[in-house]
Amino acid sequence: MYYQEEIETMPRADLEALQLERLRKSVAYAYERIPLYKQRFDEAGVDPYAIESLEDIKRFPFIVKQDMRDAYPFGLFAVPNSDVARIHASSGTTGQATVVGHTANDLKNWGDCFARGIYMVGGNEDSTIQVSYGYGLFTGGLGAHAGGEAAGCTVIPTSSGNTKRQVQMMRDLKTDILACTPSYALLIADTAIEMGYNPAEDFAVSGVILGAEPASEGMREEIRQKLGVQYCDVYGLSEVMGPGVAMECSASHGLHVAEDQFFFEIVNPDTLEPVPDGEWGELVITTLTRECCPLVRYRTRDVTRVIVEDCPCGRTHRKIDRIVGRTDDMMIIRGVNVFPSQIEQVVTGFDELVPHYQIVLTTKGPLDRVELRVETAPDFPFDEIRALEGLKKRLAAELKSNLQIAVEIKFVEPKSIERSEGKAKRIIDLRNQ
Amino acid sequence: MIEQLTVLLENKKGRLSGLCRDLADAGVNMHDLFVADTSDFGIVRIFCDTPKRAAKVLTDKGYRAVVTEVFAVRVPNRPGGLADLLEFIDEQGVNIEYGYCFSRGEETAIDVLKAADDTIESKLAEAGFDVVEAKEVYQLD
């Protein structure tokens, strides 16, 4: 079942023709209406009216978060205030807040993008969606809300907080789809279990649409099991739109980017050159339909890769992998880009280990030395050294094949690695000391 | 079979003494202790009076501690005592994972072995080897 079958399953050639048509329009629109783009394009000597193919966009300069901060508040708005329907803002914890405006059309397209994900988890106009993202300047709550309304669902705007009431609502109102952050979904599941329910059996909920923070495969599986649901990972960022830029279908292998709305590239964050399909890099987005705040080659700082396959779900829009981190978190070890979440993915793939780890970086002569500290699971039969050495070998081989670098493994005693969800200190870099 | 307490320790200063103190505080009486070490961790194998309780106490304190089944054979204290035992096990086609010895008194030594096949214990008894029973090592809990 598709929300917009014609668009979502459009043959590639038609889709790319649509992208090109919209790209030409959008780039020229940005150039004509926003002085910053005019200045940048002129400086770079690129002609916004001479785009002949999708490849041509690669000649255009990038725009970054700092540009948006510098343009605060209205410097990147392409329409007069009378056409602005809503404004969202980022928290500004890392600097000056950024504001992003939306016209009525922008909001409609946003609702449609998110609604596609509702259909991906089996939802439709008969479904009840509970939106437990925070409502407000943050795009999570209102974005999911708009998606629910576009899909014709019954929307319960619980927002976040008051978890026991969330559980009660979920049970009494027979929520089919829960939309919130992964960590909040887990808290809701655990609270329901504490209250004596088995949500996987007792509740109607059959799908979750979760995003806005990273979740490891281990965490995703825990949520699937505890709630008895299909998991849809939703990607989005307030600068570009909000949740719904890319969503994960029932194949559970990558997120379909709404390519009729966004043109995306993956580039090497150091060289800014495109990487081959399948390689990790920074996601760069050009909006194709945005009216209020069009973006040309916005560097998201989010790291992902293209998943090259014909998706069994029938959608033709290309897929990206789960976001593995931010370019800010990237470590360069022996010249190789490594993200902590890549290591986490390997660790959580081993039942013999508990999902807590620490990475210690030191130098050994001219070389970087990487040590991974992990704990064995309580039921691991460590009595035989052979078992421990065997585990070590398998883990090292798996890390080597995933990261392309050798990692030394050290088994540590239980609880010697700090436990704190999300903000645990995973990386200890002693290389420059 | 005899229940042996096995503890995983980081190869770090003070860990073994900490373990022994924690066992002492719990009132566990150790009879024998054997450490197998690698560069970054050690596996401590202990015969004690209450292995199950000791494992639980240690786990609650945050150690990785398990109870492992091994067997022990009393061998005469003379040249070839151990060789005879190992040859027999070898003839049965059973692989030994690890082993260690300790002495109690002058006459005999006790060899503790972990084999890949637990049925070797009864075969040893049938063949006349002096297999040590659990109750000789600790109170059965």
Side-chain angles (χ1 to χ4, degrees):
Chain A
M1 281 294 288
Y2 308 101
Y3 172 67
Q4 292 170 309
E5 181 165 0
E6 199 187 325
I7 296 170
E8 293 176 73
T9 64
M10 189 179 273
R12 284 303 304 177
D14 297 349
L15 181 60
E16 282 165 22
L18 177 69
Q19 283 191 306
L20 180 59
E21 180 198 324
R22 289 183 171 175
L23 182 71
R24 298 176 64 163
K25 227 187 261 176
S26 188
V27 171
Y29 176 87
Y31 180 79
E32 288 159 12
R33 295 192 176 220
I34 300 171
L36 180 70
Y37 282 113
K38 180 168 189 332
Q39 183 199 333
R40 291 277 175 87
F41 295 176
D42 288 347
E43 276 169 13
V46 288
D47 179 357
Y49 304 105
I51 295 176
E52 300 298 332
S53 76
L54 292 171
E55 288 295 303
D56 289 343
I57 193 67
K58 299 193 166 117
R59 293 185 284 110
F60 283 73
F62 292 97
I63 186 159
V64 297
K65 177 96 173 172
Q66 189 58 44
D67 293 322
M68 305 188 88
R69 292 195 190 107
D70 295 344
Y72 180 86
F74 299 125
L76 288 172
F77 280 40
V79 296
N81 200 43
S82 55
D83 291 337
V84 181
R86 194 196 295 159
I87 285 175
H88 279 281
S90 76
S91 58
T93 47
T94 53
Q96 169 71 53
T98 52
V99 295
V100 175
H102 305 255
T103 67
N105 280 333
D106 291 340
L107 293 176
K108 184 184 172 300
N109 287 333
W110 186 4
D112 286 341
C113 283
F114 196 97
R116 293 175 193 172
I118 291 175
Y119 273 67
M120 288 177 194
V121 291
N124 56 39
E125 69 275 9
D126 293 328
S127 308
T128 297
I129 181 169
Q130 180 168 339
V131 180
S132 308
Y133 278 116
Y135 279 63
L137 286 173
F138 168 60
T139 51
L142 286 162
H145 189 103
E149 290 190 338
C153 299
T154 306
V155 184
I156 313 175
T158 47
S159 193
S160 54
N162 202 343
T163 310
K164 279 192 178 158
R165 194 181 64 184
Q166 300 269 3
V167 172
Q168 216 55 53
M169 290 264 171
M170 224 170 137
R171 179 176 169 275
D172 297 345
L173 305 182
K174 301 192 170 31
T175 297
D176 298 296
I177 299 166
L178 174 69
C180 57
T181 61
S183 60
Y184 198 50
L186 200 52
L187 181 62
I188 289 175
D190 287 337
T191 305
I193 291 164
E194 262 169 40
M195 288 165 73
Y197 301 118
N198 175 4
E201 297 275 330
D202 306 342
F203 290 8
V205 66
S206 59
V208 289
I209 301 178
L210 312 180
E213 66 182 21
S216 66
E217 188 50 46
M219 186 172 181
R220 286 155 51 95
E221 192 52 32
E222 196 177 344
I223 292 168
R224 285 193 195 104
Q225 296 296 334
K226 284 185 172 165
L227 289 175
V229 288
Q230 182 194 323
Y231 192 116
C232 167
D233 189 352
V234 52
Y235 174 71
L237 61 174
S238 62
E239 296 86 343
V240 169
M241 179 175 86
V245 173
M247 303 188 82
E248 182 184 18
C249 68
S250 59
S252 295
H253 189 234
L255 292 72
H256 291 279
V257 176
E259 285 192 286
D260 58 316
Q261 304 284 329
F262 306 101
F263 178 80
F264 77 94
E265 305 162 70
I266 312 273
V267 302
N268 180 316
D270 297 324
T271 65
L272 301 178
E273 290 299 319
V275 299
D277 279 355
E279 258 180 44
W280 298 98
E282 179 176 354
L283 180 66
V284 172
I285 292 179
T286 299
T287 63
L288 298 177
T289 61
R290 302 282 296 168
E291 293 178 340
C292 186
C293 295
L295 290 172
V296 178
R297 300 195 91 195
Y298 178 68
R299 289 184 58 186
T300 64
R301 291 182 299 159
D302 288 320
V303 175
T304 183
R305 62 177 169 183
V306 175
I307 293 182
V308 189
E309 68 175 16
D310 291 331
C311 192
C313 80
R315 290 177 182 83
T316 52
H317 295 211
R318 284 189 303 160
K319 295 194 289 188
I320 54 171
D321 209 330
R322 225 143 41 82
I323 304 299
V324 295
R326 309 220 71 184
T327 51
D328 317 351
D329 304 332
M330 186 174 79
M331 303 176 280
I332 301 178
I333 302 171
R334 288 181 214 153
V336 178
N337 297 346
V338 176
F339 298 92
S341 48
Q342 286 176 280
I343 297 175
E344 178 161 341
Q345 224 165 323
V346 173
V347 170
T348 56
F350 277 81
D351 290 338
E352 299 94 327
L353 302 172
V354 296
H356 301 282
Y357 64 93
Q358 212 160 42
I359 299 155
V360 184
L361 303 174
T362 49
T363 39
K364 192 177 186 182
L367 279 181
D368 295 331
R369 183 172 162 274
V370 191
E371 181 179 275
L372 173 70
R373 296 180 177 169
V374 277
E375 298 170 17
T376 56
D379 57 356
F380 182 75
F382 60 82
D383 176 54
E384 288 158 30
I385 289 176
R386 200 169 57 167
L388 277 169
E389 297 289 359
L391 174 61
K392 207 179 209 182
K393 223 178 255 174
R394 280 183 293 124
L395 181 57
E398 191 65 24
L399 286 165
K400 173 94 190 169
S401 85
N402 273 271
L403 310 176
Q404 270 82 47
I405 51 165
V407 175
E408 287 174 40
I409 291 150
K410 185 179 165 91
F411 292 119
V412 295
E413 288 175 42
K415 310 218 169 84
S416 49
I417 294 170
E418 184 196 349
R419 302 283 201 271
S420 74
E421 280 307 319
K423 284 177 184 161
K425 184 143 178 63
R426 297 291 189 208
I427 316 289
I428 300 172
D429 193 341
L430 305 172
R431 286 180 295 183
N432 294 317
Q433 293 178 16
Chain B
M1 305 300 283
I2 294 175
E3 289 177 345
Q4 165 196 276
L5 173 65
T6 311
V7 187
L8 180 72
L9 285 186
E10 263 177 77
N11 204 344
K12 224 159 60 176
K13 191 173 171 296
R15 294 306 292 145
L16 187 59
S17 79
L19 169 69
C20 292
R21 177 53 63 197
D22 283 334
L23 283 171
D25 289 347
V28 174
N29 188 25
M30 289 193 284
H31 306 310
D32 304 283
L33 180 148
F34 182 82
V35 183
D37 67 307
T38 71
S39 60
D40 55 30
F41 59 86
I43 293 175
V44 185
R45 299 178 176 125
I46 297 168
F47 271 24
C48 65
D49 55 357
T50 51
K52 280 204 184 87
R53 186 174 72 83
K56 185 173 182 316
V57 166
L58 291 176
T59 302
D60 291 346
K61 278 192 170 291
Y63 288 88
R64 278 279 175 273
V66 293
V67 169
T68 316
E69 294 209 316
V70 295
F71 67 93
V73 184
R74 203 172 275 113
V75 298
N77 192 3
R78 59 161 173 79
L82 179 59
D84 291 346
L85 170 66
L86 295 182
E87 273 166 14
F88 177 81
I89 295 172
D90 190 28
E91 281 162 17
Q92 305 299 314
V94 172
N95 193 31
I96 295 169
E97 304 284 354
Y98 61 81
Y100 52 96
C101 309
F102 54 83
S103 293
R104 288 215 177 127
E106 294 291 306
E107 296 303 308
T108 56
I110 292 176
D111 290 303
V112 179
L113 297 168
K114 169 78 181 168
D117 178 1
D118 287 342
T119 61
I120 190 69
E121 191 183 31
S122 53
K123 287 180 189 155
L124 284 164
E126 280 165 32
F129 285 96
D130 187 359
V131 176
V132 179
E133 287 183 58
K135 63 177 187 234
E136 300 176 55
V137 180
Y138 51 79
Q139 62 193 62
L140 296 172
D141 57 349

